[in-house]
Amino acid sequence: VHCRVESMGGRFSGVRTQDIAYAKAQGELAYYRALEHQGLMRMIRDMGELQAHLQEWKQNPQQTPIGFVLSMEGADPILSPEQVSQWWDQGLRTVSLVHYGVSTYAHGTQAPGGLLPVAKPLLQAIEKQGLILDASHMADGTFWATMDIYSGPLIATHNCCRTLVPHDRQFTDEQIMAIAQRGGVIGVAFDDWMLSPDFDKNHPDNSHVTLATVCDHIDHICQKTGSVSHAAIGTDLDGGYGREQSPSDLDTIADLQNIPPILTSRGYSADDINSIMHGNWIGLLLRVWDH
C-alpha cells in the first residue's frame, strides 16, 4: 500500500513559501505516525522491513497493519539539497519534483517548461541518498532534462498513456519507453479524465469508463515495452475526487480484484497478472533496497 505526503507546493494557492510547505508535510507525517502508534499502519523503509511485513501479511493478513512506503508529491517541502538526508531519516523513500503548475524546482502538469536552476543539486542529492524519483506530473521539458541529470531509480506512481488520452498529464510512448529502459514501473491512475478523452469534468458521466478502460492503459504499457514488468496499479484514488470521477464499476477498493479476470480475457497469464497487481512494485523496492 502506497501512501504519500502531499504538498501543494511553494507557488500554489494557499501555500506561499517553502517553509509553509515543509511545515504542512511534517504535519502529515505526524498523522501517519499517529496511525502507526494505533497499530493501523506500518512504515516500510528497507528490504528487511519489507520482507518481514510480507511474511507477516502472508501468515495473518487480518491482523497485519497496512504497510506503506512514504512518498512526497512535489518536492517543495525539501528546503535544500542538504535537507534530503533529514527526510530520509524520517522515512521518506520516494519523491517527485512537481505537481500541477510550477514548483520550486520544476515545471509540471499544464505548465510547459523544464527544470529550474535549483533542481540539479536537489536531483543529485536525491540520487546520492538513494531515494526513488517519481516522474509523475513532470512537464515534458522537465522529464527529459531530468533524464539527462538523474540516473537513479525511477518510477511513476500514477500516470496514464497519452496515446489513449491526449494531454500533457499522460506519458508519451517515448516517455514510457525511457522509464522502462531504466527498469522503472508505471502505476496506472484511475482518474476518469486521465483514462478516457471523452470524460468531461464539468458534466461528469462515468458510465463509459470502467476497469476495462484501466486495463487498456495497462495493456498499452505492456505492448509498447514488450513486457509486463513495467505496468502496475497506481489508482490515485486519494486524489480529491469520488466515485463520480472513478471507473463506474469501482465501488470500493476491493473491486480492484475484478481487474485480473479482465486481464485473463486479454491473454495475460496468472504470473503476468500477479506482476501487474503487486509484484512489479515489490520487485522494484527489493531491487533498489538490495544495494
Side-chain angles (χ1 to χ4, degrees):
V1 174
H2 169 77
C3 292
R4 62 193 185 191
V5 175
E6 282 198 49
S7 166
M8 291 293 289
R11 291 182 173 83
F12 294 119
S13 175
V15 181
R16 294 184 295 106
T17 68
Q18 272 195 280
D19 292 342
I20 296 174
Y22 171 79
K24 181 174 182 290
Q26 286 288 314
E28 293 178 14
L29 178 56
Y31 174 63
Y32 294 147
R33 286 175 171 159
L35 294 176
E36 283 194 280
H37 182 72
Q38 297 172 49
L40 299 175
M41 299 182 71
R42 174 185 292 155
M43 188 184 296
I44 308 296
R45 291 162 290 199
D46 56 40
M47 186 170 66
E49 291 181 352
L50 177 58
Q51 291 174 328
H53 179 78
L54 292 173
Q55 183 64 27
E56 182 181 339
W57 185 279
K58 183 178 180 180
Q59 294 174 347
N60 192 0
Q62 298 301 321
Q63 299 300 318
T64 304
I66 295 173
F68 70 99
V69 177
L70 188 66
S71 178
M72 180 184 290
E73 183 173 38
D76 297 273
I78 303 177
L79 302 179
S80 68
E82 292 74 25
Q83 201 189 55
V84 168
S85 60
Q86 174 201 313
W87 278 105
W88 174 272
D89 291 342
Q90 291 181 296
L92 186 66
R93 293 296 180 266
T94 303
V95 61
S96 68
L97 287 181
V98 67
H99 193 231
Y100 281 87
V102 183
S103 76
T104 302
Y105 297 102
H107 289 247
T109 302
Q110 295 180 318
L115 297 173
L116 298 178
V118 290
K120 183 174 181 178
L122 180 71
L123 285 168
Q124 291 170 334
I126 288 171
E127 181 173 346
K128 182 178 180 181
Q129 186 66 64
L131 281 164
I132 301 169
L133 185 66
D134 182 0
S136 301
H137 280 289
M138 288 183 177
D140 290 353
T142 292
F143 181 93
W144 293 114
T146 297
M147 295 295 285
D148 289 338
I149 294 171
Y150 176 85
S151 58
L154 185 69
I155 61 171
T157 53
H158 55 302
N159 262 85
C160 292
C161 307
R162 198 177 303 182
T163 295
L164 303 181
V165 179
H167 189 282
D168 78 332
R169 176 65 182 87
Q170 332 299 347
F171 282 144
T172 65
D173 288 349
E174 292 76 16
Q175 290 170 320
I176 291 170
M177 288 301 299
I179 292 174
Q181 288 164 4
R182 296 279 187 97
V185 174
I186 301 169
V188 171
F190 284 40
D191 194 337
D192 281 354
W193 79 268
M194 296 176 63
L195 291 169
S196 170
D198 298 322
F199 183 80
D200 183 355
K201 287 184 181 180
N202 296 318
H203 302 89
D205 174 10
N206 66 353
S207 59
H208 66 288
V209 185
T210 67
L211 291 174
T213 317
V214 173
C215 291
D216 292 342
H217 288 262
I218 292 172
D219 187 58
H220 183 82
I221 294 169
C222 293
Q223 297 299 331
K224 189 64 187 178
T225 62
S227 169
V228 299
S229 300
H230 308 288
I233 305 299
T235 79
D236 199 31
L237 291 175
D238 60 343
Y241 54 92
R243 290 189 62 217
E244 81 291 340
Q245 201 166 308
S246 303
S248 57
D249 51 353
L250 185 73
D251 186 28
T252 73
I253 196 68
D255 291 327
L256 293 183
Q257 296 305 314
N258 294 326
I259 291 176
I262 299 171
L263 294 174
T264 298
S265 71
R266 300 189 185 192
Y268 287 84
S269 70
D271 286 344
D272 293 339
I273 294 168
N274 285 336
S275 294
I276 292 166
M277 295 299 292
H278 65 272
N280 288 337
W281 284 130
I282 292 172
L284 182 138
L285 291 173
L286 290 173
R287 290 194 305 273
V288 171
W289 290 345
D290 192 32
H291 291 85

